[in-house]
């Protein structure tokens, strides 16, 4: 305890000493440097003066070629401590005579010398030079003595500073230490009648008064606190119970939450080696659309009704929990038989196929269900939940409204996706991606003034990878934003070349994913900035968005598309007819182009319903002043029928396959509308 108390004194003394030492040391260092500079300058001036004094006599002797006289003149310099060598150089630059001091021979090789040179002139004629080489030996002698003197001063100051700082520290610290001793005594004895001794009228005295006043207050409140603590303890116990309920219950549905189900699984799996159970992971299909179209209050009521339906199906010993959003999990105790799990999943699907009535609105949703079991699928909550979740996502990707049991192949798919993402990140760095361009044929003008940019991945090991094999994975992972920016920058670079080499008003269409439209990804800002920087003019870039993208935040999408149209960017709806589009969307979003999905185009001349549908879409678009592009044209019959319907543009293998930018330019220059026939339309030598 004594050391702890004294540590403050030690630190304060050390601080004073450090400041004093540093200040003194800096002062002495500056003085030393200053003294050295003065001595060096004085020495240089002294030697230079000697040289100037000797120069006239040496010049006269040099004129008469009198080496002995010169030697006598310069010999006294040898007795100077700092002089190492003296030389006389004639007018041809040869050494006439010199003095090399024997005891300084070693210094010639080991130290840098100062050279002082005096010109030997008479009657405006140059006869040679007197050169004196000196070292710093005399300066070192003076500096050594000076440093010893300064060192003695430094030590004296440090010793005096130590005792002064020790005295000052004690003067200020001891009252604090005495007060600390009283605090320590009160702390250990809980005797609030003890008082600190008042010893000064400064801030420490005020601190002592305040401490004594505080002890008096504590003493008065001590009894009151004792009774209050008992009352508060009871209240805290009650609050803890309520907090526990809140921590383990979902506030909306009243069901156990994610934390509860995790702890339940871990507790059961750790405390019972023979215990078995299964876990169902359930996600509501179409719930997001309900939130987007009817509002979140309808979505909340739907969650509550869905929970009630599930609760009515499972047994009393089973546990239903809400993980968050539209995700539920069901803990089936002592159930691992696939037939039993299948029966429960089918009953849930059957009940969910019935419409929900929410505020007089009939709402239709389904459920995708994944199942895992203990101990086959793992021994921790994380493993079992993860594998049930994987099974559920497999059910969703299989078309929704179905169930799947976990299988090891699902993990393999997950690892394969991770590998694709990893390779795709490297592809962006290693320049493995390339844009191909597929012409969009203007049926009215019989020209090609548009093309769709389609990304291709040249994998170093797997070869060319189709976008349908990596774009969906990039959308799930969020890498689609970086990928989309890459497409945008390269498309802008290519359209600049196309407008120079092909057509001044050429336009390139790029595809935009729904994942890129998230406000936090700043996709719109990136696009507008890139277009402003490129300064390509209006209608150089058009964007194609799917109908699914329109179902995100309609108000935000409308605003974003309005800003793009102001920048001269055309908006096209891709795969029209297979999503959720309606006339209200087309009017509200001011769409420029709709692209009829190829599944409808390929039914032309084969299926009357498909033919009627294509014709109806073209006519509807004309009435709304919207251009139409028919995708997937594969033969002349389809193109002829679309021409009869009044379709504006056509795109497909019958026109041309996608090609690299350079080959696309070659195709453009050789393109003739009359050559669009079934026989030569599919020739690959024109493009590939």
């Amino acid at each position: 305890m004594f050391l702890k108390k004294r540590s403050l004194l030690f630190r304060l003394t050390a601080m004073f000493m450090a400041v004093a030492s540093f200040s003194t040391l800096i002062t002495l260092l500056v003085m030393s440097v200053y003294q050295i500079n003065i001595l060096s300058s004085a020495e240089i001036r002294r030697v230079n003066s000697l040289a100037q004094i000797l120069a006239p006599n040496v010049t006269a002797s040099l004129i008469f070629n009198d080496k002995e006289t010169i030697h006598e003149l310069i010999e006294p310099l040898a007795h100077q401590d700092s002089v190492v060598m003296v030389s006389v150089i004639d007018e041809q630059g040869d050494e006439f005579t010199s003095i090399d001091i024997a005891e300084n021979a070693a210094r010639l090789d080991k130290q840098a010398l100062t050279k002082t040179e005096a010109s030997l002139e008479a009657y405006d004629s140059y006869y040679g030079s007197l050169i004196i080489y000196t070292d710093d030996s005399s300066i070192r002698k003076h500096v050594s003595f000076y440093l010893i003197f300064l060192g003695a001063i430094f030590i004296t100051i440090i010793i005096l500073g130590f005792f002064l700082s020790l005295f000052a520290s004690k003067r200020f610290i001891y009252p604090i230490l005495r007060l600390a001793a009283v605090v320590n005594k009160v702390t250990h004895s809980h005797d609030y009648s003890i008082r600190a001794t008042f010893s000064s009228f400064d801030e420490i005295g005020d601190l002592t008064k305040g401490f004594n006043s505080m002890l008096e207050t504590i003493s008065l409140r001590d009894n009151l606190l004792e009774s209050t603590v008992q009352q508060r303890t009871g209240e805290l116990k009650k609050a803890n119970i309520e907090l526990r309920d809140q921590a383990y219950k979902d506030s909306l549905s009243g069901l156990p939450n994610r934390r509860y189900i995790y702890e339940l699984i871990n507790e059961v799996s750790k405390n019972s080696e023979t215990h078995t159970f299964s876990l169902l992971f359930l996600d509501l299909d179409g719930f997001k659309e309900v939130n987007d179209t009817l509002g979140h209050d309808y979505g909340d009521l739907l969650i509550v009704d869905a929970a009630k339906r599930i609760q009515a199906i499972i047994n009393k010993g089973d546990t239903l929990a809400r993980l968050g959003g539209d995700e539920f999990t069901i803990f089936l105790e002592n159930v691992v038989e696939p037939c039993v799990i299948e029966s429960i999943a089918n009953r849930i699907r059957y009940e969910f196929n019935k419409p929900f009535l929410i505020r007089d609105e009939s709402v239709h949703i389904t459920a995708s269900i994944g199942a895992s079991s203990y101990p086959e699928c793992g021994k921790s909550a994380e493993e079992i939940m993860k594998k049930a979740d994987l099974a559920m996502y497999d059910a969703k990707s299989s078309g929704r409204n179905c169930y799947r049991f976990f299988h090891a192949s699902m993990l393999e798919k997950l690892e394969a996706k991770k590998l694709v993402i990893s390779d795709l990140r490297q592809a962006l760095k290693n320049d493995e991606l390339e844009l191909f361009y597929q012409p969009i044929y203007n049926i009215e003008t019989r020209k090609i003034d548009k093309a769709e940019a389609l990304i291709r991945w040249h994998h170093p090991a797997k070869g060319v990878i189709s976008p349908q094999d990596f774009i969906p994975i990039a959308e799930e992972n969020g890498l689609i934003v970086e990928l989309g920016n890459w497409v945008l920058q390269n498309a802008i670079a290519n359209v600049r070349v196309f407008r120079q080499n092909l057509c001044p008003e050429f336009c390139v269409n790029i595809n935009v994913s729904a994942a890129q439209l998230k406000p936090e990804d700043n996709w719109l800002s990136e696009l507008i900035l890139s277009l402003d920087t490129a300064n390509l003019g209006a209608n150089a870039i058009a964007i194609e968005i799917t109908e699914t993208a329109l179902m995100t935040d309609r108000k935000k999408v409308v605003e974003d598309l309005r800003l793009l149209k102001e920048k001269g960017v055309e908006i096209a709806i891709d795969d029209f007819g297979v999503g959720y589009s309606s006339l209200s969307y087309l009017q509200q979003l001011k769409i420029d182009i709709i692209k009829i999905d190829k599944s409808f185009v390929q039914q032309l001349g084969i299926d009357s319903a498909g033919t009627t549908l294509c014709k109806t879409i073209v006519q509807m678009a004309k009435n709304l002043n919207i251009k139409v592009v028919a995708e997937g044209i594969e033969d002349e019959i389809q193109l002829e029928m679309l021409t009869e319907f009044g379709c504006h543009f056509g795109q497909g293998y019958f026109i041309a396959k996608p090609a690299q930018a350079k080959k696309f330019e070659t195709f453009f220059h050789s393109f003739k509308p009359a050559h669009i026939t079934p026989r030569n339309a599919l020739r690959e030598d024109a493009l590939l």
Side-chain angles (χ1 to χ4, degrees):
M1 184 60 67
F2 178 78
L3 289 176
K4 289 183 179 179
K5 290 179 180 178
R6 294 297 178 184
S7 63
L8 183 59
L9 175 62
F10 172 77
R11 290 196 297 270
L12 191 58
T13 303
M15 181 185 69
F16 287 153
M17 288 300 300
V19 172
S21 300
F22 181 76
S23 302
T24 305
L25 191 60
I26 292 297
T27 302
L28 296 180
L29 182 61
V30 171
M31 291 176 65
S32 299
V33 172
Y34 177 73
Q35 184 66 21
I36 290 171
N37 288 334
I38 289 176
L39 290 174
S40 299
S41 300
E43 179 65 16
I44 292 171
R45 289 195 300 271
R46 185 182 71 82
V47 174
N48 191 55
S49 297
L50 290 174
Q52 295 300 325
I53 292 170
L54 291 174
N57 295 328
V58 173
T59 302
S61 300
L62 183 60
I63 292 172
F64 292 103
N65 200 23
D66 188 355
K67 284 188 179 181
E68 291 182 4
T69 303
I70 292 175
H71 193 77
E72 289 175 359
L73 289 171
I74 64 176
E75 185 177 9
L77 293 176
H79 301 289
Q80 300 288 328
D81 290 338
S82 59
V83 176
V84 176
M85 182 178 179
V86 181
S87 298
V88 176
I89 308 299
D90 59 22
E91 58 183 336
Q92 286 79 28
D94 297 328
E95 185 179 275
F96 184 75
T97 185
S98 67
I99 296 177
D100 185 0
I101 293 82
E103 59 269 22
N104 293 329
R107 287 152 59 189
L108 284 171
D109 299 328
K110 294 181 180 179
Q111 298 187 18
L113 302 177
T114 301
K115 178 182 177 182
T116 302
E117 184 174 353
S119 180
L120 303 178
E121 298 177 357
Y123 306 105
D124 297 327
S125 298
Y126 173 76
Y127 293 98
S129 299
L130 172 64
I131 300 175
I132 304 173
Y133 292 93
T134 58
D135 62 11
D136 60 351
S137 57
S138 62
I139 296 175
R140 289 202 306 272
K141 288 180 181 180
H142 286 87
V143 169
S144 297
F145 174 78
Y146 189 72
L147 288 177
I148 293 171
F149 176 71
L150 291 181
I153 293 175
F154 177 74
I155 293 172
T156 303
I157 291 174
I158 292 302
I159 293 172
L160 291 174
F162 173 74
F163 287 106
L164 287 174
S165 62
L166 187 63
F167 172 77
S169 299
K170 288 182 178 181
R171 177 68 180 83
F172 293 109
I173 294 301
Y174 277 175
I176 297 175
L177 294 178
R178 287 196 295 270
L179 183 59
V182 175
V183 172
N184 185 56
K185 187 175 181 180
V186 171
T187 302
H188 286 83
S189 66
H190 300 287
D191 183 1
Y192 299 109
S193 63
I194 300 173
R195 296 293 181 267
T197 303
F198 181 77
S199 58
S200 61
F201 293 94
D202 53 14
E203 288 82 356
I204 297 176
D206 294 339
L207 179 63
T208 303
K209 288 181 181 180
F211 177 71
N212 290 336
S213 178
M214 180 183 66
L215 289 178
E216 291 177 4
T217 303
I218 292 174
S219 181
L220 292 173
R221 293 183 179 180
D222 194 33
N223 294 330
L224 179 61
L225 284 174
E226 188 173 351
S227 60
T228 304
V229 165
Q230 294 179 356
Q231 179 183 353
R232 293 292 176 85
T233 301
E235 293 175 356
L236 285 173
K237 287 181 180 179
K238 183 179 179 181
N240 284 335
I241 294 172
E242 293 176 356
L243 286 173
R244 181 175 176 81
D245 287 342
Q246 293 176 8
Y248 288 101
K249 280 189 178 180
D250 174 54
S251 58
L252 176 61
S253 63
L255 296 174
N257 59 13
R258 179 186 295 270
R259 181 178 179 181
Y260 178 88
I261 204 70
Y262 263 80
E263 292 190 9
L264 174 63
I265 294 172
N266 282 328
E267 183 180 354
V268 172
S269 58
K270 288 179 181 178
N271 297 336
S272 178
E273 295 181 358
T274 59
H275 205 83
T276 59
F277 61 85
S278 293
L279 202 67
L280 296 185
F281 207 99
L282 185 146
D283 186 88
L284 305 184
D285 306 323
F287 178 77
K288 185 179 184 301
E289 286 74 18
V290 174
N291 265 344
D292 291 340
T293 56
L294 298 178
H296 288 275
D297 51 341
Y298 279 81
D300 290 345
L301 293 173
L302 181 57
I303 289 290
V304 174
D305 283 2
K308 289 178 180 178
R309 288 196 187 185
I310 302 171
Q311 194 75 59
I313 294 171
I314 62 177
N315 297 324
K316 290 184 178 181
D318 300 329
T319 302
L320 171 65
R322 181 182 177 226
L323 301 181
D326 60 341
E327 294 181 340
F328 295 87
T329 188
I330 306 171
F331 179 85
L332 303 175
E333 192 169 7
N334 295 321
V335 175
V336 290
E337 297 83 0
C339 59
V340 178
I341 298 173
E342 184 177 352
S343 173
I344 295 172
N346 279 328
R347 287 168 61 192
I348 293 173
R349 291 175 58 240
Y350 174 78
E351 290 297 326
F352 273 63
N353 284 330
K354 299 176 183 178
F356 288 81
L357 191 62
I358 310 294
R359 291 181 180 174
D360 298 327
E361 287 278 351
S362 182
V363 177
H364 294 268
I365 60 170
T366 56
S368 296
I369 305 171
S372 62
S373 58
Y374 172 84
E376 289 82 1
C377 294
K379 295 188 177 181
S380 68
E382 288 77 10
E383 285 183 277
I384 299 167
M385 292 282 282
K386 175 184 176 182
K387 291 176 179 178
D389 191 24
L390 281 174
M392 184 274 292
Y393 273 105
D394 191 71
K396 271 195 174 295
S397 62
S398 299
R400 303 185 176 189
N401 192 24
C402 59
Y403 61 88
R404 290 289 183 271
F405 293 98
F406 171 77
H407 189 272
S409 61
M410 297 176 185
L411 276 177
E412 294 173 2
K413 289 182 182 178
L414 182 63
E415 291 301 321
K417 284 185 178 181
K418 290 181 180 178
L419 182 60
V420 169
I421 290 296
S422 176
D423 287 352
L424 193 53
R425 292 188 188 279
Q426 292 301 316
L428 284 165
K429 295 179 181 178
N430 299 336
D431 199 24
E432 298 172 10
L433 303 174
E434 185 179 14
L435 286 183
F436 278 47
Y437 292 90
Q438 186 173 32
I440 299 176
Y441 176 59
N442 191 323
I443 297 175
E444 296 176 336
T445 63
R446 304 186 72 190
K447 295 180 180 179
I448 292 175
D449 52 13
K450 295 178 183 289
E452 181 179 357
L454 301 168
I455 192 169
R456 295 291 185 268
W457 180 4
H458 299 283
H459 195 283
K462 301 176 182 177
V464 179
I465 300 179
S466 172
Q468 65 185 13
D469 294 330
F470 64 88
I471 291 295
I473 298 175
E475 289 178 331
E476 290 179 18
N477 183 267
L479 191 59
I480 190 66
V481 176
E482 187 175 352
L483 203 60
N485 289 336
W486 182 92
V487 170
L488 173 63
Q489 299 304 324
N490 283 270
I492 287 176
N494 287 142
V495 78
R496 184 189 300 278
V497 176
F498 292 161
R499 286 198 160 196
Q500 292 173 352
N501 299 343
L502 308 183
C503 172
E505 297 178 352
F506 201 88
C507 177
V508 169
N509 291 16
I510 61 173
N511 292 280
V512 176
S513 165
Q516 292 174 256
L517 299 177
K518 297 177 181 177
E520 61 269 20
D521 289 325
N522 296 320
W523 169 81
L524 177 65
S525 301
E526 180 73 22
L527 175 58
I528 291 176
L529 178 62
S530 298
L531 291 175
D532 288 342
T533 303
N535 194 25
L536 297 173
N539 298 325
I541 294 292
I543 66 167
E544 298 184 9
I545 57 177
T546 62
E547 298 171 77
T548 305
L550 301 178
M551 295 299 296
T552 51
D553 184 346
R554 187 189 302 188
K555 185 177 180 181
K556 180 69 168 59
V557 170
V558 170
E559 179 63 21
D560 287 352
L561 298 187
R562 183 187 64 78
L563 291 173
L564 287 178
K565 288 179 71 65
E566 290 177 0
K567 290 292 180 180
V569 177
E570 289 189 330
I571 312 299
I573 296 183
D574 198 13
D575 302 333
F576 184 83
V578 297
Y580 308 96
S581 288
S582 65
L583 291 176
S584 63
Y585 274 135
L586 299 179
Q587 291 175 327
Q588 187 179 10
L589 299 177
K590 306 296 182 184
I591 298 299
D592 300 294
I593 300 170
I594 58 175
K595 301 188 74 173
I596 304 175
D597 187 68
K598 64 181 180 181
S599 62
F600 300 122
V601 174
Q602 290 168 0
Q603 294 300 313
L604 288 172
I606 300 174
D607 179 67
S608 59
T611 302
T612 302
L613 182 59
C614 284
K615 184 176 182 180
T616 303
I617 291 174
V618 172
Q619 190 59 49
M620 176 200 68
K622 278 189 170 184
N623 294 336
L624 294 173
N625 197 27
I626 296 175
K627 300 288 186 181
V628 181
V629 177
E631 295 184 293
I633 299 175
E634 294 186 352
D635 59 46
E636 189 174 18
I637 295 174
Q638 294 170 359
L639 181 59
E640 288 178 352
M641 294 183 72
L642 289 165
T643 304
E644 291 175 6
F645 296 160
C647 185
H648 305 92
F649 299 94
Q651 181 180 354
Y653 280 11
F654 181 68
I655 311 297
K657 290 184 177 182
Q660 296 162 308
K662 288 292 183 183
K663 293 181 179 179
F664 174 80
E665 290 187 42
T666 303
F667 164 79
F668 182 91
H669 290 300
S670 63
F671 173 76
K672 295 180 180 179
H675 289 175
I676 300 181
T677 63
R679 182 175 57 184
N680 63 19
L682 297 178
R683 281 175 47 204
E684 296 187 9
D685 58 334
L687 290 174
L688 303 176

